[in-house]
Structures are given as C-alpha cells and as structure tokens.
Amino acid sequence: MTTRAALPGLVSTIALACGLFLAAAAAQAAPDAKLLAAAEKAQPALIENLKEMVLIESGSLNVEGLQRMATVIEGRLQKSGFSTERRKATAGAGADIVIGTRKGTGKRRIMLQAHMDTVYAPGILGSQPYKVDGNRIYGPGIADDKGGIAVILASLQILADAGWRDYDTLTVLFNPDEEVGSVGSGELIATVADQHDTVLSFEPTAAKSVAKNEALLLGAAGIAQATLEVKGRASHAGAAPELGRNALYELSHQLLQTRDVAKDIPGATLNWTVARATGPINQITERAQALGDIRITQPGAEAKLASALQAKLASSKLIPDTETTVKVELGRPAFIAGDRGRALAEKAQAIYKELDRELTLVPMTGGGTDAAYAARSGKATVVESFGLAGFGYHAKDEYIEVDSIVPRLYLATRLLMEIGKQ
Ligand SMILES: [Zn+2]
C-alpha cells in the first residue's frame, strides 16, 4: 500500500518538475505562434512568386528582363501598402532600381535590400529550367538573389496583414547590377542606407549540402584594382636595340619587386594577374601595363597599399629612363558589420533558437556584397544574408532549399518586429 501510494506521488512530483522545466524553457524561447503560422501559410505564395521571378531571365545586361522584374516587384510592394518609385542606375546597362517606402507609427528607420540581376547569359532557362525536386527548387538566380527578394516581399505582406506599423520608415531597395559591382546603384544604396538606422541585406545563405548551419554574414572583402604602367622608348629591335628602353623588362622588374608589398599591410592582398605589351615583335617595347587584383578587409587598407606601391616603385629601377606609374582604384568597399551589426546578428541567433535552429555568424568572406555600400559610412547597422538557403550560385544547377523558407520568413518578420521595439 505504502509503495503503491508513494509511487504515484513520486511520479506526479517528477511530472510536475518536468512540467515546470518545460514551462521555463518555453518561456525563454517559445516561438511567436501567430507569426510562425503566418510564415507557414505564406510559403506556397512565396514559391509562386519565386517561380514567376525565376522564369524572367534577368542577367545584369538584360535590361528588358530586369525591367520586367522591377514591374513584378513594384506590383507586389504596392499590394503590401508601399509607395514605389524607380530610378535609373547611373552606369552599366541602365536598368531601373526599385525603391519602395512605407511610413509607420514607430521610431526606427529600417531598410531591406536585395538584387534583381543574375550572372547568367540569355537563354539560360533552356539548359537550366525551373524545376522542383523534393526539398530543392532549381532555377537560375533562384538563390542569388531571387530567393532574397521573395523573402522580403512575403515578409512585408505578412507584416502588413498583421497590422505591424512599429517603424518610422520601412524602405526596400532592389538594384539591377549587383553582379557587376553595383556600378550604377552602389552610391544610391550608400545614400539611402545613411538615412536609416538598420539595413538588412538578403543575399542567400549556404545550403545544408555545404554548411552545417545557415548563417548571417558580418563582413566581406572589398575589391580594388591596381594598374601599373611603364613608359619606355621604342627602337628597332634588330638594328638599334641599345637606343630603346624596354618597358616590358621594367614592368617585369616592378611586378616582382612589388609582389609582396601587401604582406605588410593588414587587411590588404595584392595579386598581379594581367600583363600586357602589344609589340610589335621587332620593336623594343615602348609601353607595358599590368593589372592587379586587390582584396580589402579593413577600411583604408587600399590607400596604405597605394602608398606602399609608390614607395617600392621609387626604390629601384631596372631600366634607366623608363617611367612607371601605379594607381589603385577602389570598387566595392569592404563590408564590416562591426559591434552593432554583431549585436543585431546575435538577436537573430536568439530568434532562430526559438525554432530550435542554429545560426552561424560568419565574420568575413571573400565574395562581394552590397551590404558594403550600405555600411560604408558606418551610420546604419547592417547585417547580410537574410535570403534563402541555397547552393550552386554563379555556377550550375542553382537551387534553394524549401525547408529554409518558413524559418527565414519567421526570422525576417520577427527580427523586424524586434528592431521596431528598440
Ligand atoms: Zn547576390
């Protein structure tokens, strides 16, 4: 009797303790059930939107396709209560940038961005069609970056439906030239981002086949180009070579003596990758040129590298009377999220935990991103890679993972709500 009586008592004590434990865990990290349900409900429409956009070929030079993308996006934004405008990219193929804005009742100014262009040549859908295969959906640009656009558009609809207005301004920006360095949109991105407190950028995150966890990106290398030019003196290579000053020899000398210059500059790498001298073969070379690929992971490193190159050039010459010049031109700057970016990304990590998912924070990648323009002045807090999980971008058989759609929608919407509360 005693045992019998004691046992149920013990069991119920354990059950009570477990119940308390579960309740405590739940209180710590329960997902917002309404928001999660809305994200689940939004998945079919997101996939439809994604399909519609993938079936529009929009390589960076395909102005017609990019304009169609802009029209589809504008339509969706207007349905979510946004006013929209288009601005011509200031350089490149000349397609439009789409900007949508909506005023809210809160304090924060928040911007979301993604790009409409892909790296693919016209006709790509012939060999790389839209295709659903289990958890994967294939298509050119589906991850990079149409998945990102689809997450933004669906998130805005979810938030509009939920009546969320806890922001001062919500701005979205879609550019048509990210894959060619954002030459005609980077300055606008920087300017618009400076008018905001927070910028979320929606490039893809790596799929399960290549990464253990989905990720957010806190840094990306900037790109610059070095141009080395040597002016020598032409002369007959057979009859009077001693009268010439061989620019090609001098170029070779300068390439070798500058090849390790970046090693002493934190946050810079330099690799000479192109050299040109056009001949003719029977003439001592008058002009020669080399181009170098520079990657920058610290602000200002390109300027230090330029001075170091100048100093090295001045230090020694192989061929007298030649003239060597070097210039360093910065393309897309480095993206450095900094402490504020990291803090925001940690908030995102906590939100992902509510879904029992891990989110890796990647400090630096070699690839370029428009987050760099958004973060250039350091005014806005910027985090990258809120797009869908995928793989094969800039390659073949690009795909997204369907089971990343709901978590990514939940992350974007829930994080926006959090940002609004700050
Ligand atoms: Zn991209």
Side-chain angles (χ1 to χ4, degrees):
M1 280 291 285
T2 341
T3 2
R4 280 189 173 210
L7 197 56
L10 182 66
V11 168
S12 59
T13 308
I14 291 166
L16 184 68
C18 286
L20 280 175
F21 174 74
L22 287 175
Q28 225 173 30
D32 180 327
K34 250 194 188 163
L35 205 53
L36 187 55
E40 278 159 4
K41 204 172 142 223
Q43 178 170 310
L46 182 150
I47 292 174
E48 263 315 296
N49 175 228
L50 195 51
K51 181 178 180 183
E52 181 184 18
M53 293 193 290
V54 169
L55 293 179
I56 300 171
E57 290 192 357
S58 61
S60 308
L61 301 178
N62 187 343
V63 176
E64 190 260 326
L66 287 162
Q67 301 300 69
R68 278 175 62 206
M69 280 289 295
T71 302
V72 167
I73 290 169
E74 264 193 305
R76 301 279 305 213
L77 288 174
Q78 286 160 4
K79 264 173 69 186
S80 300
F82 279 70
S83 43
T84 63
E85 60 167 309
R86 291 202 197 189
R87 304 237 194 126
K88 274 246 161 301
T90 53
D96 290 341
I97 301 158
V98 178
I99 301 177
T101 43
R102 194 174 182 202
K103 286 306 248 182
T105 53
K107 286 200 214 78
R108 312 305 291 182
R109 299 161 302 164
I110 308 166
M111 171 176 161
L112 313 178
Q113 66 176 9
H115 64 91
M116 300 184 284
D117 61 322
T118 74
V119 296
Y120 302 102
I124 185 69
L125 282 166
S127 60
Q128 302 275 305
Y130 178 89
K131 185 178 77 187
V132 182
D133 182 11
N135 189 42
R136 293 179 181 179
I137 306 179
Y138 290 84
I142 194 161
D144 183 14
D145 190 22
K146 295 182 179 183
I149 299 174
V151 172
I152 291 179
L153 294 175
S155 296
L156 296 178
Q157 191 59 53
I158 289 170
L159 292 167
D161 291 346
W164 182 69
R165 302 297 296 272
D166 197 10
Y167 49 86
D168 173 72
T169 315
L170 193 52
T171 301
V172 288
L173 189 152
F174 301 98
N175 59 328
D177 58 352
E178 192 275 344
E179 300 292 6
V180 287
S182 307
V183 284
S185 64
E187 286 307 315
L188 184 69
I189 291 171
T191 307
V192 176
D194 278 356
Q195 293 152 17
H196 293 78
D197 305 303
T198 306
V199 178
L200 306 185
S201 189
F202 283 72
E203 290 281 3
T205 180
K208 287 192 273 285
S209 54
V210 286
K212 192 163 145 262
N213 298 318
E214 290 171 21
L216 290 176
L217 186 64
L218 300 178
I223 296 170
Q225 179 180 304
T227 307
L228 190 63
E229 273 174 327
V230 182
K231 191 169 172 285
R233 190 194 302 153
S235 72
H236 195 296
E242 70 284 358
L243 296 182
R245 296 291 181 266
N246 196 321
L248 193 53
Y249 289 172
E250 182 62 21
L251 183 79
S252 309
H253 170 68
Q254 295 299 353
L255 291 181
L256 290 177
Q257 82 155 345
T258 54
R259 69 185 158 164
D260 290 332
V261 155
K263 295 216 166 105
D264 298 325
I265 298 163
T269 64
L270 163 69
N271 285 287
W272 295 112
T273 49
V274 176
R276 297 182 189 121
T278 52
I281 190 169
N282 54 2
Q283 185 185 72
I284 297 299
T285 311
E286 186 180 20
R287 283 177 188 277
Q289 184 198 57
L291 304 177
D293 176 282
I294 297 171
R295 303 288 155 141
I296 300 294
T297 52
Q298 284 186 25
E302 71 281 357
K304 286 183 193 145
L305 178 61
S307 327
L309 280 168
Q310 301 284 10
K312 202 72 176 167
L313 294 190
S315 73
S316 127
K317 193 182 271 200
L318 179 72
I319 309 287
D321 309 327
T322 54
E323 237 176 78
T324 304
T325 55
V326 68
K327 67 177 178 203
V328 171
E329 290 163 297
L330 188 61
R332 197 189 264 120
F335 164 48
I336 293 139
D339 292 344
R340 282 178 295 140
R342 178 165 284 275
L344 182 63
E346 281 166 2
K347 211 164 262 176
Q349 268 183 323
I351 289 172
Y352 239 40
K353 278 243 164 68
E354 296 171 358
L355 303 178
D356 267 329
R357 291 174 84 101
E358 295 295 327
L359 201 52
T360 301
L361 305 187
V362 176
M364 182 62 66
T365 162
T369 156
D370 281 335
Y373 285 110
R376 191 172 70 183
S377 74
K379 286 184 186 160
T381 302
V382 184
V383 176
E384 175 62 276
S385 285
F386 286 93
L388 294 176
F391 187 62
Y393 18 106
H394 296 213
K396 242 186 121 203
D397 299 327
E398 181 172 345
Y399 67 83
I400 57 110
E401 289 175 332
V402 175
D403 61 3
S404 73
I405 294 175
V406 170
R408 291 270 139 175
L409 278 177
Y410 181 78
L411 175 63
T413 50
R414 175 92 171 69
L415 185 62
L416 284 169
M417 287 174 147
E418 278 299 311
I419 294 168
K421 283 183 202 154
Q422 287 168 2

